[in-house]
Amino acid sequence: MNIKRGLFRLWLVMSLFWVIGVGFVGSGYIKSDKWWKGDEWWEKDPLAFLPVRCEDARGTVNVDYEKLDAFEPWNQYRTPSTACYFTIEKLRALFPEYKD
C-alpha cells in the first residue's frame, strides 16, 4: 500500500515539474506570438475593415479602401491573393445595397 501511495506521489510531483518545465520552455514562443503581444489588426473592432474582392471594389485605392493581403489562409492560393478593405462608412456609401 505504501509503494502505491509513494508512486502516486512521485507521479504527481513529476507531472507538476513537467507542466512547469513545458511552460518555462514554451513561454518565449507564447510571448512572441502575435495574439499575445497585441496585434493591431486583432485589437481593432472586428467590423472596422470589411473585405471585398478587389475586382468587385468600388471607389479609389487608398482613399476609399486599402488593398492588403487577404487574411484568410486559403486566399494565398487565389490570384490575386489580395482583398480590398473598406471601413463600414465607406462600404455603406459605395455599396448602397449594404446601407442597412
Side-chain angles (χ1 to χ4, degrees):
M1 193 66 155
N2 287 334
I3 291 176
K4 286 183 182 180
R5 186 176 294 168
L7 288 176
F8 179 71
R9 288 178 182 167
L10 179 66
W11 176 76
L12 282 176
V13 169
M14 295 304 286
S15 297
L16 181 65
F17 284 148
W18 175 262
V19 170
I20 291 171
V22 168
F24 180 73
V25 169
S27 66
Y29 295 110
I30 293 169
K31 289 180 182 177
S32 68
D33 189 27
K34 70 177 182 178
W35 301 98
W36 180 271
K37 284 197 301 191
D39 187 24
E40 291 178 12
W41 181 84
W42 178 253
E43 291 181 352
K44 289 182 183 176
D45 180 25
L47 296 177
F49 291 108
L50 301 170
V52 174
R53 293 191 67 153
C54 286
E55 55 266 11
D56 300 330
R58 302 174 190 166
T60 309
V61 179
N62 295 329
V63 175
D64 297 318
Y65 62 88
E66 295 180 32
K67 189 173 183 179
L68 303 170
D69 289 333
F71 57 86
E72 298 95 350
W74 55 86
N75 283 330
Q76 64 183 347
Y77 304 108
R78 188 178 76 185
T79 304
S81 64
T82 57
C84 296
Y85 291 90
F86 289 86
T87 61
I88 195 158
E89 295 83 18
K90 294 284 186 176
L91 184 85
R92 287 180 177 166
L94 294 170
F95 293 86
E97 60 268 22
Y98 297 118
K99 68 180 180 195
D100 297 332

